[in-house]
């Protein structure tokens, strides 16, 4: 059904016509998820994490949907990602989640992005950039409470706060940390990290902190004490579970991305013949196969169809599950459709719903020994994104 989507592009301009493989991004699902999560974490607020092109969903689409549904701001990984949102006219607060290369700091300041810092040198570099650009930069100081990736040692936080507060061109935006094991609610790490974080905050005495934040999606869902001023909500807003142990907490959320294609070729094959590179699959009976023009260059992992000891992974065609046979190639894969009446142009659902069946990014992830995040972030720029839902505005 044609509709105006959030970017003012018309989605009846059929992006799927540019090639027979596309991703559908459902604005209604994004809004539903952010709305539901905003209510769940209240009185904490939600900052939507739209790094990595909105986890493959399109950063601008995801950002607009999140803000429409009540998100108080956004988070990104790179200055460039924040600049892209500003260029699209988005004026909400945008926090860049790590320290950035010195060469990027003028752009950060000029775009009015919020910075993260955890080293005194970086605070100085931010102050210099803000002065050059004639801006005041909001700085969020990050404490490493146990992730051991980036962040200041807890006993450095007081000197960082002083450094930010002593600069006329900087403003303290908040103090935060990041949880390493929040997707395993029974694990002791989250309580230990929050205790370390709280001790560091306590060392600041009565310093009046504008914002304190700690939770990612899993923390926001599973650890109410991690919610604080706002939660940094990524994967859950896209309707994907942070991990199997918290699946039950996302039951109300809707996957926002579907990956689809059309059958490009159909042929009969004889028992005893083989298919695709390496001839890894041998047909044990006469059957019909359909070729689907999507492959690992699009983000369908090469081994999805050929894990040792596991039969082919399914796609949906004509409302039926059909296994991928042989290795996925760069641009195409082959499916065994048996006696189903499949013809060129038929819709193939790789992720999403068709008829009674649903295949989720989490199913791919379980199969491949990874997490849903890697699946959706891996859908490459070569796959056109078709924005659906959102209604007329
Ligand atoms: C990516 C990221 C998030 C979002 O994590 P999800 O698990 O996707 O919710 C939050 N905080 C930081 C620092 C991040 O890098």
């Amino acid at each position: 059904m044609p509709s105006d989507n959030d970017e003012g592009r018309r989605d009846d301009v059929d992006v799927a016509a540019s090639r027979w493989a596309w991703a559908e991004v459902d604005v209604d699902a994004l809004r539903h998820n952010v709305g539901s999560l905003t209510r769940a974490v209240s009185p904490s607020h939600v900052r939507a994490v739209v790094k990595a092109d909105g986890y493959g969903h399109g950063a601008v689409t995801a950002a607009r949907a999140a803000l429409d549904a009540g998100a108080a701001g956004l988070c990104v990984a790179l200055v460039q990602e924040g600049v892209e949102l500003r260029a699209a006219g988005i004026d909400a607060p945008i926090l860049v989640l790590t320290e950035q290369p010195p060469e990027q700091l003028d752009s950060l300041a000029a775009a009015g992005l919020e910075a993260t810092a955890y080293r005194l040198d970086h605070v100085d570099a931010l102050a210099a950039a803000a002065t050059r650009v004639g801006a005041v930069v909001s700085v969020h100081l990050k404490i490493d409470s146990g992730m051991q990736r980036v962040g200041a040692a807890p006993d450095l936080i007081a000197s960082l706060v002083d450094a930010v507060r002593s600069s006329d061109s900087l403003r303290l935006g908040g103090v935060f940390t990041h949880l390493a094991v929040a997707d395993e609610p029974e694990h002791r790490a989250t309580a230990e990290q929050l205790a370390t974080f709280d001790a560091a905050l306590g060392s600041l005495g009565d310093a009046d902190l504008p914002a304190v934040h700690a939770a990612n999606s899993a923390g926001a869902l599973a650890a109410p004490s991690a919610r604080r001023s706002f939660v940094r909500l990524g994967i859950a807003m896209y309707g994907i579970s942070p991990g199997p142990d918290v699946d039950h907490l996302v039951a109300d959320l809707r996957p926002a991305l579907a990956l689809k294609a059309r059958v490009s070729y159909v042929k009969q094959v004889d028992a005893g013949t083989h298919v695709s590179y390496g001839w890894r699959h041998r047909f044990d009976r006469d059957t019909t196969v359909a070729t689907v023009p999507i492959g690992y260059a699009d983000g369908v992992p090469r081994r999805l169809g050929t894990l040792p000891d596991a039969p082919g992974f399914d796609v949906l065609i004509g409302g039926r599950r059909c296994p991928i046979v042989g290795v996925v190639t760069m641009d195409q894969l082959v499916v065994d459709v048996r006696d189903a009446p499949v013809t060129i142009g038929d819709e193939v659902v790789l992720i999403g719903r068709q008829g009674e069946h649903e295949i989720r990014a989490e199913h791919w992830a379980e199969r491949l020994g990874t997490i849903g995040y890697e699946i959706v972030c891996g859908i490459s720029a070569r796959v056109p994104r078709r924005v659906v839902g959102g209604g007329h505005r």
Side-chain angles (χ1 to χ4, degrees):
M1 187 178 54
S3 68
D4 280 318
N5 67 45
D6 277 355
E7 284 165 274
R9 267 193 278 131
R10 297 271 308 168
D11 63 18
D12 56 352
V13 177
D14 191 358
V15 297
S18 68
R19 61 173 293 196
W20 270 0
W22 68 98
E24 282 175 11
V25 177
D26 182 349
V27 170
D28 294 329
L30 291 168
R31 288 188 193 159
H32 164 83
N33 296 340
V34 173
S36 164
L37 293 158
T38 299
R39 287 188 293 279
V41 303
S42 173
S44 297
H45 295 285
V46 164
R47 283 257 190 145
V49 182
V50 298
K51 60 191 178 185
D53 200 25
Y55 293 42
H57 295 63
V60 173
T61 303
R64 291 221 173 106
L67 294 167
D68 283 349
L74 306 167
C75 300
V76 295
L78 306 176
V79 173
Q80 186 50 47
E81 293 174 337
V83 168
E84 181 195 334
L85 297 170
R86 290 282 184 256
I90 291 171
D91 58 8
I94 302 173
L95 171 61
V96 184
L97 290 164
T98 55
E99 291 185 353
Q100 297 293 301
E103 298 79 4
Q104 291 293 314
L105 300 184
D106 287 17
S107 303
L108 179 153
L113 306 178
E114 298 179 329
T116 288
Y118 25 83
R119 295 179 306 122
L120 284 168
D121 281 357
H122 201 70
V123 172
D124 292 344
L126 284 167
T131 304
R132 275 194 299 276
V133 168
V136 172
V137 171
S138 170
V139 180
H140 291 238
L141 297 170
K142 181 168 188 185
I143 297 172
D144 186 350
S145 60
M147 176 81 175
Q148 309 291 14
R149 186 173 61 174
V150 293
D155 59 1
L156 284 179
I157 191 67
S159 56
L160 287 162
V161 167
D162 287 346
V164 171
R165 285 199 161 139
S166 66
S167 165
D168 290 339
S169 51
L170 302 179
R171 174 161 42 88
L172 186 63
V175 177
F176 74 108
T177 194
H178 190 52
L179 301 174
V181 200
D183 60 320
E184 296 175 35
E186 302 306 318
H187 199 288
R188 64 187 167 86
T190 300
E192 288 184 17
Q193 285 196 261
L194 291 173
T196 301
F197 184 51
D198 284 333
L201 296 175
S203 75
L204 296 173
D206 57 1
D208 187 21
L209 298 177
V212 171
H213 47 110
N216 53 7
S217 293
L221 290 160
S225 67
R227 287 175 186 158
R228 312 299 166 102
S229 311
F230 59 79
V231 302
R232 303 184 304 269
L233 195 78
I235 198 73
M237 78 169 260
Y238 304 102
I240 296 171
S241 175
D245 294 352
V246 292
D247 281 353
H248 59 289
L249 297 173
V250 297
D252 150 53
L253 304 180
R254 302 192 342 225
L257 182 142
L259 184 62
K260 299 185 177 180
R262 293 192 184 285
V263 170
S264 60
Y265 192 65
V266 179
K267 68 175 295 192
Q268 311 300 316
V269 296
D270 296 332
T273 61
H274 297 80
V275 61
S276 192
Y277 292 120
W279 274 13
R280 302 267 194 90
H281 180 84
R282 178 182 181 277
F283 296 103
D284 58 10
R285 56 184 156 66
D286 295 354
T287 190
T288 305
V289 295
T291 302
V292 184
I294 187 167
Y296 63 75
D298 302 303
V300 183
R302 182 171 182 269
R303 66 194 187 285
L304 188 63
T306 54
L307 284 189
D309 306 324
F313 192 81
D314 292 333
V315 303
L316 305 176
I317 306 179
R320 298 168 32 148
R321 294 183 163 277
C322 304
I324 298 170
V325 285
V327 294
V328 172
T329 70
M330 188 182 291
D331 317 303
Q332 305 177 79
L333 57 83
V334 179
V335 172
D336 187 346
V337 299
R338 297 192 176 224
D339 51 1
V342 170
T343 53
I344 290 175
D346 283 359
E347 184 185 83
V348 182
V349 172
L350 293 106
I351 295 174
R353 284 183 176 282
Q354 193 186 63
E356 314 256 284
H357 299 292
E358 181 182 28
I359 294 172
R360 299 179 57 115
E362 292 95 321
H363 296 145
W364 286 33
E366 187 186 356
R367 163 88 169 189
L368 296 162
T370 182
I371 51 178
Y373 301 69
E374 190 178 4
I375 303 302
V376 285
C377 290
I379 297 173
S380 74
R382 198 172 82 164
V383 178
R385 267 59 171 182
R386 179 173 191 235
V387 180
V388 300
H392 291 264
R393 298 197 308 151

